[in-house]
Amino acid sequence: MTGRTNLEGAVALVTGANGGIGRATVAALAQAGAQVVASDVADMATVPGAALYLPLDVTSEDAWQTVIERIERDFGRLDILVNNAGISVTNSIARTTLEEFRRCMAINVDSIFLGTHAAQALLARSGAEREGGSSIVNLSSVGGLRGAPFMATYCASKGAVKLYSKSAALEFALLKLPIRVNSVHPGGIETNMMDTIFARYVEEGLFADVETARAAVSAGHAMSRMGRPEEIAEGIAYLASPAASFMTGSELVIDGGMTAR
Ligand code: NAD
């Protein structure tokens, strides 16, 4: 990897690293030269490319503290934080419980606050020594740009991620802290999350079977297909790099044209 997308010397933390987009992100950042700390609540034994594996439940303030302290002790810096961990909720409003709503908010939104809060000081110190500063990349969704039936809880959480990212970007810029903050908005990507969503669509009677659901979701993209995790990871690696040195408070939409129409 050469030029301004090079991440040599950078240290990155990726949450939800055992998932589809998480794995691809660990690989893309490592490929660009970063030392990557992979974290998840799930077992990560098979996530390739990571320099270190640390358990992290993103809803736990104590766990965030422990992980950031460990990264500072082992690497002395943190340049990139990818807040990727997330869950989907596919349910009617009538059947959604408060517990289900709050769990989604805890994993998808509390995580963004807790991670930013815990890592801010280390990111600021590291960013001061690095071209383009340090970078927080938050995974939102096309569901953070527009609503979707049976996805009100998920869309609310991803809308919150979008505006938290913009507000943090503005605050850090005002405070002259060298931390850029951007959100990424994938369309439908081939991971376990979409398989779960297809299964729920079928359970709700919205589609006859998973294949019909998959075909309908694919057709919702102008390019008539879903995306691959690697196609999201490339965008994340770009935002993390000095090539994106003038990008903060932005939304990087990677959706095969879904929201263009
Ligand atoms: P995935 O289900 O493959 O992976 C999600 C990962 O998050 C899993 O490894 C899981 O163990 C982890 N996780 C769940 N709860 C956690 C917790 N409390 N603490 C730490 N880790 C936890 O999903 P994915 O498709 O790779 O999604 C990654 C991100 O991208 C999510 O934020 C998701 O909302 C977003 N996204 C995905 C799609 C898509 O179509 N797949 C589209 C738009 C946005």
Side-chain angles (χ1 to χ4, degrees):
M1 185 71 62
T2 56
R4 282 165 54 84
T5 51
N6 192 318
L7 295 176
E8 294 289 340
V11 175
L13 170 61
V14 179
T15 70
N18 195 51
I21 293 172
R23 282 170 174 267
T25 300
V26 171
L29 297 178
Q31 171 76 26
Q35 288 183 285
V36 187
V37 179
S39 69
D40 205 300
V41 275
D43 176 32
M44 293 169 289
T46 60
V47 178
L52 181 65
Y53 301 90
L54 294 178
L56 173 61
D57 177 345
V58 292
T59 67
S60 162
E61 186 166 18
D62 288 348
W64 270 107
Q65 203 59 45
T66 303
V67 162
I68 297 300
E69 281 171 13
R70 172 77 188 271
I71 290 172
E72 184 163 18
R73 198 169 68 233
D74 283 17
F75 301 96
R77 62 187 303 121
L78 179 66
D79 303 277
I80 299 159
L81 169 60
V82 184
N83 282 312
N84 166 72
I87 59 165
S88 61
V89 172
T90 310
N91 208 351
S92 68
I93 293 166
R95 273 194 295 274
T96 302
T97 62
L98 181 58
E99 188 185 13
E100 190 176 24
F101 183 87
R102 284 188 173 152
R103 179 161 179 268
C104 183
M105 290 296 162
I107 295 173
N108 292 4
V109 186
D110 290 11
S111 59
I112 307 291
F113 158 66
L114 290 172
T116 307
H117 183 72
Q120 176 180 338
L122 186 55
L123 285 167
R125 280 204 298 283
S126 308
E129 300 166 357
R130 188 169 180 78
E131 187 198 348
S134 59
S135 173
I136 299 177
V137 183
N138 293 327
L139 268 290
S140 179
S141 167
V142 289
L145 301 174
R146 63 186 205 184
F150 289 81
M151 299 289 282
T153 300
Y154 182 75
C155 290
S157 76
K158 292 302 184 180
V161 172
K162 180 182 82 167
L163 281 183
Y164 193 95
S165 303
K166 288 188 189 300
S167 301
L170 293 175
E171 183 172 321
F172 294 158
L174 187 67
L175 296 173
K176 307 238 175 295
L177 294 178
I179 309 172
R180 295 178 295 103
V181 188
N182 295 286
S183 54
V184 172
H185 301 257
I189 309 301
E190 298 278 6
T191 71
N192 287 341
M193 181 174 286
M194 282 309 302
D195 291 340
T196 306
I197 291 171
F198 293 146
R200 287 287 304 126
Y201 282 161
V202 173
E203 281 168 17
E204 291 292 337
L206 299 173
F207 296 100
D209 52 48
V210 165
E211 280 321 305
T212 312
R214 181 183 297 277
V217 168
S218 297
H221 299 75
M223 296 175 78
S224 303
R225 68 168 177 88
M226 288 171 50
R228 296 183 297 276
E230 297 72 25
E231 293 176 309
I232 305 306
E234 293 293 344
I236 294 170
Y238 163 70
L239 286 174
S241 78
S245 54
F246 199 47
M247 279 190 79
T248 198
S250 287
E251 301 157 28
L252 182 57
V253 180
I254 311 177
D255 70 348
M258 177 189 269
T259 55
R261 57 188 183 191

